[in-house]
Amino acid sequence: MLNSAEILQTINMFDRQHLDIRTITMGVSLLDCAHPDAKMAGQRIYDKICRRAERLVGTGMEIEKEFGIPIVNKRVSVTPISLVAAASDCNDYVPFAAALDRAAKTVGIDFIGGFSALVQKGFTEADRKLIASIPQALAETDLVCASVNVGSTKAGINMDAVAQMGRVIKETAALTAASGGFGCAKLVVFANAVEDNPFMAGAFLGPGEPECVINVGISGPGVVHHALQQVKGEPFDVVAETIKKTAFRITRMGQLVAREASARLGVPFGIVDLSLAPTPAVGDSVARILEEMGLAVCGTHGTTAALALLNDAVKKGGVMASNHVGGLSGAFIPVSEDEGMIAAAQAGVLQLDKLEAMTCVCSVGLDMIAVPGDTSAETLSAIIADEAAIGMVNSKTTAVRLIPAPGKKVGDIVEFGGLLGSAPVMPVHPESSAAFIQRSGRIPAPMQSLKN
């Protein structure tokens, strides 16, 4: 039974430590919406999302009110559109994105993910059409998010896709130049993408998922930071144990919300994603957690070790709190969305190479990073290739969300607002990678892929 001290502690976690449920994401399968007529397929997509998700936002608000738990976003993820649109004979998939956007606005959600293609081993014609449509689709819609999986431990890395995604990112930035290249903030390039990720912009409902499912993503960097302030100077064993206990409490909150949403919507509960998702708000930063462990500034020597401890302890605490943990589960390090990361980048301590090293041990990858607007497509592709290689060799999910901000140079700030925050433009290496990217073909899968 809860005592008054525990109740007050939980209230304080919400009021002063920025604890929230970052998202309730409903996954909706669109496989049965395929149709040779693209217009008919778009209507089917719109109708099904509206039918399935019509009560999602209202239910989330009810749970918030009844339990006093802030739920920041209500979202939908769908079957990768390249799989659904393949049945149609059109060459332009922008109308499919428009149907998703229209449905998202009708049901009142914050974002919809799944304008996606899975090309780790090669392209179908539908994959090629979807990828070619991404820049225009993201420029013409408000709530649609796109993702492309270019590599995996089992398949290797599709370097043709990597090369193309550099060009797609450049084109997307150009088409959304008026908003600082905002379209790129809605585009993720993955290796080892997971099928049950509730977080945008990379969420999609994988082919192995149910007809409809509820996945929840938690947050809580502020709570972990506060907990570590109580164990200053203690050994790392104490630090790890403190994070584990804190992650357990945070995850139990996510489990409660997931179960409630599942029951009220009559939709199966899928997973709780344990990821610590920061915001630009002071006191809600993963970087500040690492600094609390004893680093003067996030990005200095020791940062990767501190992040490895944090990520592992969060997972160990979280898996005790929920039977079904999935998604990405770890610590996000999106530069523009983390107040401490922004400060470290502006100070010149946190550099792109250090961020890449950190992604070897954290949840995802190079996330929400602004680079100079004149960065070449080949350089963007080379950054993607490096990150995909980390994912492939380490059998983990990695991702890249880069914003070559039009007209911006190193030291400038790109403002996105809201949860997306503001991104300091970071330098990239000036030396060319063009000849490397132009080779084409596929980087073979590593030895550890041969596990059968």
Side-chain angles (χ1 to χ4, degrees):
M1 194 171 170
L2 290 175
N3 59 41
S4 57
E6 289 173 319
I7 293 171
L8 289 172
Q9 184 183 48
T10 302
I11 292 171
N12 196 43
M13 287 161 65
F14 292 130
D15 287 349
R16 299 185 181 181
Q17 298 166 27
H18 302 280
L19 176 61
D20 57 55
I21 301 300
R22 184 53 47 86
T23 179
I24 296 178
T25 300
M26 174 182 281
V28 179
S29 173
L30 300 181
L31 290 173
D32 58 347
C33 297
H35 194 279
D37 184 327
K39 186 175 181 180
M40 180 63 72
Q43 188 61 47
R44 286 182 172 186
I45 288 169
Y46 173 84
D47 291 342
K48 186 168 187 181
I49 293 169
C50 291
R51 184 173 68 253
R52 285 289 190 175
E54 63 178 345
R55 296 195 296 118
L56 177 62
V57 173
T59 299
M61 293 173 68
E62 289 171 7
I63 295 171
E64 282 184 281
K65 185 176 180 180
E66 290 181 32
F67 292 90
I69 301 173
I71 301 172
V72 179
N73 284 291
K74 293 83 177 175
R75 300 162 169 168
V76 167
S77 63
V78 300
T79 308
I81 290 298
S82 67
L83 301 179
V84 181
S88 71
D89 57 3
C90 64
N91 291 317
D92 179 8
Y93 286 179
V94 173
F96 288 92
L100 293 175
D101 198 52
R102 197 166 71 252
K105 290 173 178 176
T106 298
V107 299
I109 57 175
D110 298 283
F111 286 107
I112 186 163
F115 196 74
S116 307
L118 311 177
V119 297
Q120 57 269 22
K121 207 169 184 179
F123 303 91
T124 65
E125 285 305 309
D127 293 330
R128 294 184 186 279
K129 292 175 184 178
L130 183 131
I131 292 171
S133 299
I134 285 174
Q136 200 67 42
L138 296 183
E140 293 185 10
T141 61
D142 298 313
L143 306 180
V144 173
C145 295
S147 60
V148 177
N149 192 67
V150 299
S152 73
T153 301
K154 284 300 236 181
I157 303 173
N158 181 349
M159 290 300 291
D160 294 319
V162 169
Q164 186 172 2
M165 290 312 300
R167 298 190 292 270
V168 166
I169 291 170
K170 285 287 286 185
E171 187 179 350
T172 302
L175 290 177
T176 57
S179 56
F182 177 71
C184 297
K186 302 187 292 174
L187 172 59
V188 180
V189 184
F190 277 117
N192 288 321
V194 296
E195 298 189 353
D196 55 5
N197 168 25
F199 285 100
M200 299 298 168
F204 62 85
L205 187 75
E209 291 290 299
E211 176 72 16
C212 192
V213 67
I214 289 291
N215 297 319
V216 166
I218 60 173
S219 184
V223 181
V224 175
H225 184 207
H226 178 81
L228 291 186
Q229 289 175 328
Q230 313 309 309
V231 294
K232 286 183 181 293
E234 295 288 345
F236 284 116
D237 311 80
V238 176
V239 172
E241 189 65 21
T242 301
I243 295 170
K244 280 166 57 180
K245 291 177 179 178
T246 306
F248 177 87
R249 294 204 308 271
I250 295 169
T251 307
R252 290 301 286 178
M253 206 71 66
Q255 174 87 354
L256 169 65
V257 169
R259 291 290 186 191
E260 280 295 319
S262 171
R264 296 183 188 201
L265 292 167
V267 173
F269 160 54
I271 57 94
V272 175
D273 187 314
L274 307 179
S275 300
L276 293 181
T279 71
V282 174
D284 198 27
S285 162
V286 169
R288 299 306 185 193
I289 296 174
L290 306 181
E291 292 169 357
E292 186 61 39
M293 293 187 200
L295 303 173
V297 181
C298 177
T300 192
H301 303 298
T303 299
T304 305
L307 183 58
L309 185 156
L310 172 65
N311 211 46
D312 181 66
V314 166
K315 292 180 181 181
K316 286 175 177 173
V319 295
M320 293 295 292
S322 176
N323 287 334
H324 300 291
V325 170
L328 301 170
S329 287
F332 287 163
I333 51 171
V335 174
S336 82
E337 299 174 24
D338 186 306
E339 169 268 327
M341 296 280 177
I342 294 170
Q346 288 178 318
V349 179
L350 188 61
Q351 300 280 348
L352 199 56
D353 288 344
K354 185 61 176 181
L355 281 164
E356 183 180 296
M358 292 164 67
T359 65
C360 296
V361 300
C362 78
S363 179
V364 193
L366 298 172
D367 196 14
M368 285 301 291
I369 295 173
V371 296
D374 61 359
T375 303
S376 70
E378 290 83 4
T379 295
L380 297 175
S381 294
I383 294 170
I384 292 168
D386 282 344
E387 197 60 29
I390 290 172
M392 175 184 71
V393 172
N394 291 287
S395 301
K396 70 186 294 291
T397 303
T398 52
V400 172
R401 190 159 43 147
L402 294 172
I403 301 126
K408 300 291 185 179
K409 61 184 186 300
V410 173
D412 291 342
I413 300 292
V414 186
E415 296 285 351
F416 296 117
L419 288 176
L420 295 177
S422 59
V425 177
M426 302 179 73
V428 299
H429 291 294
E431 294 79 14
S432 175
S433 306
F436 176 77
I437 294 302
Q438 290 164 6
R439 280 183 177 272
S440 74
R442 189 152 51 96
I443 293 180
M447 280 297 296
Q448 54 264 47
S449 68
L450 302 176
K451 293 182 179 180
N452 291 333

